[in-house]
Amino acid sequence: MINAYYLYYFSNLLFKLKIPIIPKIVKLFIFLIYNSSIPYQCVIGKGTRFAYGGIGVIIHKDSVIKENVLIGSGVVIGGKEGSVNVPIIGNNVKIATGAKILGDISIGDNVIIGANAVVLKSIPDNAVVAGIPAKIIKYLK
């Protein structure tokens, strides 16, 4: 099965080339196949993968996801009421199934976010977080 990242990449490329309708059709195709909202306007770096193809993933159109990020199924990366900005995800981050990353926060490089964690505060580099709300449980060496 094709990963939703490749469809996103194609629609984002067309969006950057100012081709008007095809990116919207590809976004709709992603929604129909994967039940996901992965907008062509967001920034997703190379090497990023969606587990299980990207089933149930919701990403805000203004989010920035850097390189080599693994995003589990059912992950939400988006805004929070009362917050104008949305998350920025660093390099080499692993986001487990069902995690929610919400608000004007940044996730550092080499971070692991546990399953079903709700991240509402910025996370430094090399941390492992889990829980509701997410708390740092250890640091990676």
Side-chain angles (χ1 to χ4, degrees), residues 10-11 14-15 19-29 40:
F10 176 66
S11 65
L14 295 174
F15 174 69
I19 296 173
I21 295 183
I22 299 173
K24 292 178 184 179
I25 293 170
V26 174
K27 182 182 178 214
L28 177 63
F29 186 70
Y40 51 86

Side-chain angles (χ1 to χ4, degrees), residues 83-100:
S83 177
V84 176
N85 295 323
V86 293
I88 297 173
I89 311 293
N91 295 308
N92 305 310
V93 174
K94 293 180 182 171
I95 306 170
T97 298
K100 313 297 183 248

Side-chain angles (χ1 to χ4, degrees), residues 114-134:
N116 296 314
V118 179
V119 182
L120 301 172
K121 295 181 182 176
S122 292
I123 306 298
D125 293 348
N126 304 310
V128 177
V129 298
I132 303 172

Side-chain angles (χ1 to χ4, degrees), residues 55-139:
I55 296 172
V57 173
I58 299 172
I59 300 175
H60 191 279
K61 70 180 184 78
D62 296 328
S63 292
V64 175
I65 300 169
K66 295 186 179 170
E67 296 183 356
N68 301 314
V69 176
L70 175 62
I71 300 173
S73 60
V75 169
V76 176
I77 300 172
K80 186 170 82 170
E81 186 175 338
S83 177
V84 176
N85 295 323
V86 293
I88 297 173
I89 311 293
N91 295 308
N92 305 310
V93 174
K94 293 180 182 171
I95 306 170
T97 298
K100 313 297 183 248
I101 304 169
L102 306 170
D104 183 10
I105 62 173
S106 63
I107 306 299
D109 295 339
N110 307 309
V111 169
I112 299 173
I113 299 173
N116 296 314
V118 179
V119 182
L120 301 172
K121 295 181 182 176
S122 292
I123 306 298
D125 293 348
N126 304 310
V128 177
V129 298
I132 303 172
K135 294 182 175 129
I136 298 171
I137 57 173
K138 74 176 191 176
Y139 285 95

